[in-house]
Amino acid sequence: MPTTVTSDDRPIATALRQQEREVLSAVGCGLGDEEIAAALAVPEDTVAEHLARILAKLGLRDRAAAIVHAFDCGLVAPGQGPRPARPASRTVAVPVAGATPALRVSLLGPLRAWRDGRVLDLGHQRQQTVLAVLALGLGRPLTRRELLDDVWGLEQPAANVVPVYVYRLRKALGDGGGPAPVIEHGPRGYRLAPGAVDVDVARVEELVAGIGEAERADDPAEAVRLCSRVLELFRGEPLAGLPGPLAELERLRLTERRIAVVRRKARWQLRLGRDAEAIAELFALSAEHPLNEPSAAMLMRALQRDGRQAEALAVFERARRSLSDDLGVAPSGVLRRAHQMILRGDEAGPELGPA
């Protein structure tokens, strides 16, 4: 059998064509014919034909022998997934300052990814969750154990599926054969390559930091503008439908982050005298989150400030009923104090309480 030799002295068959080598890599990762066909964008019959030729060319008995051969020749590395059919450069490209990555990942809604404006197919939900966890890591390497814990929790798979999912995601996110993968693997684990991906959660953190700077500079117009930019990034429930313990925790955290930004924006709108805009946003927020007492209290105070006492009292009554019906609890101090303020006819200040 004709062979060549890699730098670590393991033979790789030269009798195979490029796509046959890709099929052998995928077989080594444990993918079925249907999954390989989807990854390579070829018919399933073509995959079967490639595999038959691979077995004949390499003198292998069956698919199991092909899996062993893929590891033996270095096309697949244990715990690391497939290796490129050709040696890849070890140099990681440094993004040009100010350049926008071609790949965008959005977690603030159902998980979505785009490359150069084209929507990418990210596979099934558990595979999407692997990408979401890597994106939430914001460049921090995650070990295989961390990924298993974050994606599967206590119901962990028997097989070593992490490298398989990473392989599939690399194919899905691929940049047309560039020298550096979007998902890197090193001694400390997997991570998204720095500068290669624009993640909306990272942009939210940058904008929130800018809001803090605007508030410290007492620039309400800039604070409102930055709050609006944050809220534009949300497309629905964060990480909607994704399974796993980390997705569940982040769904709650990011939802609370959005609620806090809406209230922050309303506070500065009221400071600017834009009461109608603030009240409209607070009404929408209370409708989305009827059990959120601070939001209801803020809306009540804004309505009282606008001379709409009856509407403010109606907001309290709706919140009281929701808390009683859904949670079996009475309103907390924050809602009761707002209610008493309205009954006394007190004027609400422009900021409606602490930030």
Side-chain angles (χ1 to χ4, degrees):
M1 178 180 69
T3 61
T4 185
V5 176
T6 64
S7 59
D8 50 3
D9 299 325
R10 282 179 296 191
I12 295 181
T14 58
L16 302 183
R17 292 179 298 175
Q18 175 66 22
Q19 195 162 76
E20 291 170 346
R21 292 158 71 87
E22 292 176 353
V23 169
L24 181 57
S25 293
V27 168
C29 282
L31 302 182
D33 287 2
E34 182 181 354
E35 295 169 315
I36 298 172
L40 300 182
V42 298
E44 194 172 339
D45 291 345
T46 302
V47 174
E49 292 169 4
H50 279 320
L51 182 55
R53 281 196 295 270
I54 290 167
L55 296 178
K57 287 181 179 181
L58 302 181
L60 302 173
R61 184 179 65 257
D62 52 22
R63 192 184 196 96
I67 292 173
V68 173
H69 185 84
F71 278 87
D72 288 345
C73 70
L75 286 178
V76 180
Q80 298 180 25
R83 290 187 172 183
R86 296 189 181 94
S89 167
R90 293 294 180 184
T91 303
V92 178
V94 178
V96 179
T100 301
L103 179 61
R104 294 190 297 121
V105 172
S106 173
L107 308 173
L108 301 175
L111 180 65
R112 295 286 184 272
W114 300 264
R115 179 172 286 283
D116 297 321
R118 178 174 58 87
V119 179
L120 304 178
D121 181 2
L122 301 173
H124 58 75
Q125 283 190 331
R126 196 71 71 171
Q127 182 171 302
Q128 291 182 29
T129 307
V130 172
L131 175 60
V133 170
L134 291 169
L136 288 166
L138 301 179
R140 181 177 69 85
L142 298 169
T143 65
R144 187 175 67 87
R145 170 54 54 197
E146 287 177 304
L147 285 170
L148 286 170
D149 290 343
D150 290 343
V151 177
W152 283 272
L154 298 177
E155 300 176 356
Q156 299 200 355
N160 182 19
V161 296
V162 168
V164 177
Y165 286 176
V166 168
Y167 167 62
R168 293 177 185 171
L169 287 169
R170 281 173 173 161
K171 297 286 287 186
L173 302 173
D175 54 3
V182 172
I183 301 176
E184 296 181 339
H185 183 260
R188 297 171 60 193
Y190 296 95
R191 69 171 181 173
L192 294 182
V197 186
D198 177 21
V199 180
D200 57 0
V201 171
R203 281 194 283 152
V204 164
E205 300 306 324
E206 293 171 0
L207 289 168
V208 167
I211 294 169
E213 293 176 4
E215 289 174 342
R216 287 189 291 275
D218 197 24
D219 187 348
E222 178 66 2
V224 169
R225 187 186 72 82
L226 292 175
C227 286
S228 297
R229 286 188 59 191
V230 170
L231 298 174
E232 287 167 2
L233 294 173
F234 283 83
R235 299 175 295 103
E237 182 184 46
L239 303 163
L242 291 189
L246 185 68
E248 183 61 31
L249 287 172
E250 286 295 304
R251 199 159 24 244
L252 295 172
R253 183 186 73 84
L254 292 168
T255 297
E256 289 299 321
R257 170 73 88 178
R258 178 180 175 274
I259 291 171
V261 172
V262 173
R263 293 175 55 205
R264 214 165 172 175
K265 179 183 179 182
R267 185 173 291 110
W268 287 106
Q269 286 173 320
L270 291 165
R271 174 88 172 268
L272 291 167
R274 294 158 56 177
D275 293 26
E277 295 175 32
I279 290 170
E281 298 210 30
L282 290 169
F283 259 124
L285 184 64
S286 292
E288 289 176 47
H289 304 280
L291 301 178
N292 189 288
E293 294 180 82
S295 299
M298 188 173 186
L299 174 58
M300 290 165 61
R301 291 172 181 271
L303 288 167
Q304 170 74 355
R305 164 189 160 108
D306 205 41
R308 297 157 66 177
Q309 185 184 49
E311 290 179 72
L313 293 172
V315 170
F316 173 81
E317 188 57 29
R318 281 197 300 271
R320 186 194 63 76
R321 282 200 306 269
S322 295
L323 290 165
S324 176
D325 294 345
D326 295 350
L327 301 180
V329 298
S332 69
V334 65
L335 210 54
R336 290 199 308 271
R337 285 191 294 273
H339 186 231
Q340 289 300 317
M341 182 207 77
I342 293 164
L343 292 177
R344 290 195 304 267
D346 294 346
E347 278 291 324
E351 295 185 12
L352 305 181

